[in-house]
Amino acid sequence: MSRKIYKDKYYTHLDVKKHHKDYQQRVQNINWVSRHGFYPFIHFKMDCSKYTFIENGKKDIKPKERDIYYAAHIDRFIYEYYGNRLNNKYNEYMKSNGISRVSTAYRNCTPGKCNIDFAKEVFEYIVKCESAYIFVGDFSQFFDNLDHKYLKEKIKCVINEESLDAADYAIYKNITKFTYIEADDIESEKGLLRRDMRGMDKYFETDEFHEFKKNHLRKNLKDYQIPQGSSISAVYANVYMIDFDKKINDFITSQKGMYRRYCDDIIIVVPMTQEDVKGKNEEIAKFIYSTRDGIPNLELNEDKTEHFFYDNGIIEKIKGKSNLINYLGFTFDGKTVRIRDKSLFKFYCRAYRKIKKVKENTDEKSFNAGKKAIYHSYTHLGASKYSKDHGNFLTYAYKADEIFSQSKLLVSDIRNQVKKHWYKIDSKLKE
């Protein structure tokens, strides 16, 4: 198995921790996969609370949770292998239909590229237009609403077969009629938090697990929803959108514009003069909504749907909350790119919470260890892109600044946004 496809992760789950090389032959055997008994996912809610500005410049927290499901180790190898196989077919399909560049998330054909690169491409295109109409939106509860029957038909379209093979069908059944166990139920049964069980080989012995399942196993009985968190779910989400992507892209490119979709986030840019906007933007919006209505269970989040007009370095809202375009974690005012203020606010809130806990340590050794961890996680000391780990938020900020600064059309203010991070973190620790 290729390291590019498979990752060895040593989290605790319902099966023992595994190394991918030991399962190569079984995972690649279609007949074995078709008979495989998949473990339930483990489900928890991820805190995705959003930070919003209220009166007098103050900030408030808007609670939001995202359902995350993570798979057992052997199941994850299966999802990774067959997800990659389907991704290859998807890439071929998109290329043959002239829409290869439309979807940018979860692709295995864009190595080394990330949301920073995709945002840069869109912002540069806007500037090149000189004047343009811009539509920004996202789909509500995207993974939670995917229709199973429609998804199956689109998979068959992508693989160009009248039916799924035995492995693909077994995986499709398990992803659509997925079973899961609540992480909270595991913690209650064991009397421990998951973080305190990381050293365990697995959560339950076989007999213990069978007994536990009787009261705690849950199943998706709806004819829609797939679990967000598995690698193949991400590919399924792209496959689901092939007709939408084709219709929207054909229409927008006929207007000499650009359409991009990053999972459930979409952005459309169409060159036009201010005189043309009133009639044409309504025509474009009407086409988007009519195309959406032809795809089962697609819902645009009206609170996040915004319309803008760009004119020589200035962005004005037609419909929305501000004159800033928010896209893939960045704001763009027509000239300057910044990380969203909400992201920075969240970064410092997390840091300050950790600092508060560290300062509660009365033991000097524990305090010093905690302080060192804070500096590593929340300052430039842990931000080296050459470090063995994945760095921290500042690693990402520095990388974003480097990429946007390479552009001759954009101005990056990202370094300036984080330049006072040391003072803020160090001051809090010394208070």
Side-chain angles (χ1 to χ4, degrees), residues 348-361:
Y348 285 116
C349 281
R350 285 176 175 168
Y352 296 160
R353 281 200 300 269
K354 293 283 179 68
I355 289 171
K356 185 179 178 181
K357 288 183 179 179
V358 166
K359 291 171 74 173
E360 289 172 355
N361 289 315

Side-chain angles (χ1 to χ4, degrees), residues 118-361:
F118 304 134
K120 176 174 175 278
E121 178 200 21
V122 171
F123 296 156
E124 286 186 328
Y125 183 83
I126 291 171
V127 174
K128 288 176 183 176
C129 287
E130 295 186 0
S131 62
Y133 163 70
I134 302 152
F135 176 99
V136 180
D138 79 355
F139 297 105
S140 304
Q141 303 294 311
F142 188 48
F143 287 84
D144 292 343
N145 288 330
L146 300 189
D147 180 87
H148 297 164
K149 186 176 179 181
Y150 183 82
L151 171 62
K152 187 178 180 182
E153 291 307 308
K154 296 306 111 182
I155 295 172
K156 290 193 287 186
C157 248
V158 164
I159 64 176
N160 195 27
E161 298 288 347
E162 292 185 3
S163 61
L164 309 185
D165 69 27
D168 282 337
Y169 183 63
I171 294 165
Y172 164 80
K173 278 198 308 179
N174 189 65
I175 291 292
T176 53
K177 297 301 180 184
F178 61 95
T179 59
Y180 63 98
I181 287 170
E182 295 289 352
D184 287 348
D185 289 339
I186 294 174
E187 291 181 339
S188 296
E189 180 73 16
K190 305 298 286 188
L192 293 166
L193 297 175
R194 279 182 297 151
R195 66 169 176 261
D196 298 323
M197 294 187 277
R198 289 172 182 165
M200 296 172 63
D201 207 27
K202 60 180 179 177
Y203 286 124
F204 302 101
E205 295 303 321
T206 304
D207 292 343
E208 186 185 10
F209 176 54
H210 287 315
E211 193 63 31
F212 176 80
K213 278 201 304 181
K214 291 178 183 177
N215 297 318
H216 298 290
L217 185 67
R218 307 185 187 199
K219 184 174 184 176
N220 179 40
L221 299 175
K222 304 185 294 288
D223 59 3
Y224 60 91
Q225 187 183 8
I226 63 174
Q228 185 172 2
S230 79
S231 54
I232 200 163
S233 293
V235 186
Y236 278 178
N238 272 341
V239 169
Y240 194 88
M241 296 295 287
I242 56 175
D243 288 354
F244 182 90
D245 287 344
K246 175 66 175 169
K247 290 175 183 177
I248 295 294
N249 190 69
D250 285 355
F251 177 72
I252 295 303
T253 52
S254 73
Q255 311 285 316
K256 302 190 186 318
M258 168 192 275
Y259 161 57
R260 292 291 183 267
R261 180 180 60 79
Y262 189 94
C263 189
D264 54 356
D265 290 312
I266 63 173
I267 189 164
I268 289 166
V269 185
V270 181
M272 64 178 72
T273 64
Q274 195 153 20
E275 291 74 27
D276 291 334
V277 168
K278 242 182 188 179
K280 282 192 174 181
N281 79 314
E282 292 173 359
E283 178 190 349
I284 292 167
K286 184 178 179 181
F287 186 85
I288 294 167
Y289 282 100
S290 65
T291 305
R292 174 210 63 181
D293 291 342
I295 313 296
N297 296 357
L298 275 191
E299 277 302 324
L300 277 166
N301 186 337
E302 290 303 325
D303 290 339
K304 294 184 179 179
T305 299
E306 298 182 294
H307 307 252
F308 302 92
F309 180 70
Y310 169 81
D311 186 25
N312 289 307
I314 298 172
I315 288 174
E316 296 179 4
K317 66 177 179 181
I318 299 172
K319 177 193 171 186
K321 296 176 181 177
S322 76
N323 292 324
L324 292 175
I325 291 176
N326 278 285
Y327 185 59
L328 303 187
F330 300 97
T331 62
F332 181 56
D333 65 3
K335 295 178 182 176
T336 304
V337 180
R338 295 166 58 91
I339 290 175
R340 292 188 313 169
D341 287 341
K342 293 176 183 178
S343 299
L344 286 170
F345 184 58
K346 197 168 186 177
F347 167 71
Y348 285 116
C349 281
R350 285 176 175 168
Y352 296 160
R353 281 200 300 269
K354 293 283 179 68
I355 289 171
K356 185 179 178 181
K357 288 183 179 179
V358 166
K359 291 171 74 173
E360 289 172 355
N361 289 315

Side-chain angles (χ1 to χ4, degrees), residues 25 79 113 160 205 253 284 376 403 418:
Q25 290 185 341
Y79 297 144
K113 290 197 173 184
N160 195 27
E205 295 303 321
T253 52
I284 292 167
H376 183 80
I403 291 173
V418 298

